[in-house]
């Protein structure tokens, strides 16, 4: 499976397109998200974006519930809805037309345009591609239990990331079923679906259905 950035993601659907284009693999971008946002934020058009707190930029068409927490640095795109009790810890770029739902926690992430994390999701040290969707209760697990560095498993190939914290990469149009866990270093190819209650490790090919470990079928 091709795990390169442009194979997984359409970079025209995020303000981070030029930033991500620098990297062969998308997880290489995780290290610099904070600095990227601190550089990008001041360049945003003040006629469109309001700096509601230091290093917190919110598009004027976005809807942010009064109980939501926006930690710096973060950017909330146009027509995005941040619902009650959402917790954006910081280093988060949320694109246009996204949903960040109740009790959702985001940390060190890039959400492309039209991404939905609507109910009780944890997304950390991850990148979610255009129109990807995480079902209720699904999460990214971003640290291995033994605290060793994350390795991406791609068939027989093992890719060293050099990172202790790395959740998941979702390609464009990925659907993750309710209450699924994406284990550290999971990479889901474009257009694939993950069954509810799944525990996903390694790479899932594009246009596939992940039914369980060792049970991945190509979509007809």
């Amino acid at each position: 499976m091709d795990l390169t950035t442009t194979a997984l993601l359409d970079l025209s659907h995020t303000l981070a397109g030029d930033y991500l284009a620098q990297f062969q693999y998308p997880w290489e971008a995780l290290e610099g998200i904070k600095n990227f946002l601190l550089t990008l934020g001041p360049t945003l058009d003040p006629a469109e974006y309001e700096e509601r707190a230091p290093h917190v930029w919110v598009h004027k068409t976005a809807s942010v519930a009064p109980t939501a927490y926006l930690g710096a640095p973060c950017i909330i795109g146009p027509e995005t809805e941040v619902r009650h009790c959402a917790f954006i810890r910081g280093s988060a770029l949320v694109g246009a037309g996204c949903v960040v739902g109740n009790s959702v926690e985001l940390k060190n992430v890039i959400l492309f345009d039209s991404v939905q994390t609507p109910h009780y999701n944890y997304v950390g040290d991850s990148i979610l591609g255009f129109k990807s969707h995480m079902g209720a209760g699904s999460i990214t697990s971003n640290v291995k239990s033994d605290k060793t560095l994350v390795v991406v498993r791609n068939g027989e190939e093992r890719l060293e990331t050099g990172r202790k914290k790395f959740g998941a990469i979702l390609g464009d149009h990925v659907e993750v079923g309710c209450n699924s866990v994406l284990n550290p270093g999971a990479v889901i190819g474009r257009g694939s679906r993950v069954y509810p209650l799944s525990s996903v490790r390694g790479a899932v090919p594009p246009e596939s259905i992940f039914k369980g470990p060792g049970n991945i079928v190509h979509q007809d």
Side-chain angles (χ1 to χ4, degrees):
M1 174 181 168
D2 188 347
L3 302 182
T4 58
T5 300
T6 52
L8 292 163
L9 304 164
D10 182 344
L11 301 185
S12 69
H13 291 291
T14 175
L15 292 176
D18 289 342
Y19 172 68
L20 290 168
Q22 304 174 73
F23 303 101
Q24 181 181 9
Y25 298 114
W27 55 84
E28 296 170 339
L30 296 173
E31 182 69 26
I33 290 177
K34 180 177 181 180
N35 288 336
F36 165 67
L37 295 178
L38 290 172
T39 301
L40 175 63
T43 71
L44 297 173
D45 185 352
E48 297 184 12
Y49 285 85
E50 176 187 4
E51 189 172 4
R52 295 194 177 183
H55 310 305
V56 174
W57 295 273
V58 179
H59 197 276
K60 293 181 180 180
T61 63
S63 172
V64 179
T67 56
Y69 176 82
L70 305 182
C74 76
I75 296 172
I76 307 298
E79 305 295 339
T80 282
E81 182 181 2
V82 182
R83 295 174 178 166
H84 284 284
C85 298
F87 178 29
I88 298 180
R89 284 168 54 186
S91 300
L93 171 58
V94 182
C98 294
V99 175
V100 181
N102 61 302
S103 303
V104 168
E105 181 177 348
L106 303 180
K107 170 254 181 187
N108 200 51
V109 296
I110 295 174
L111 273 56
F112 277 50
D113 298 341
S114 302
V115 167
Q116 294 190 346
T117 56
H119 313 284
Y120 307 105
N121 307 110
Y122 171 70
V123 185
D125 301 284
S126 299
I127 299 173
L128 277 53
F130 177 59
K131 286 192 174 179
S132 59
H133 170 260
M134 296 190 69
S138 61
I139 65 169
T140 64
S141 173
N142 61 335
V143 181
K144 296 173 64 175
S145 59
D146 61 5
K147 308 301 188 292
T148 57
L149 300 181
V150 176
V151 176
V152 176
R153 300 189 298 177
N154 183 27
E156 297 300 316
E157 185 180 21
R158 300 292 184 270
L159 296 172
E160 303 283 347
T161 70
R163 291 190 58 82
K164 180 180 176 182
K165 293 186 177 182
F166 168 24
I169 307 294
L170 302 189
D172 300 329
H173 300 279
V174 164
E175 291 280 342
V176 178
C178 296
N179 291 318
S180 292
V181 176
L182 306 180
N183 287 282
V187 181
I188 316 298
R190 291 189 196 219
S192 287
R193 291 183 283 159
V194 174
Y195 267 21
L197 300 174
S198 294
S199 178
V200 182
R201 297 183 186 277
V204 176
E207 305 299 334
S208 298
I209 301 174
F210 182 96
K211 298 183 177 183
N215 187 9
I216 303 173
V217 300
H218 189 270
Q219 298 185 47
D220 295 329

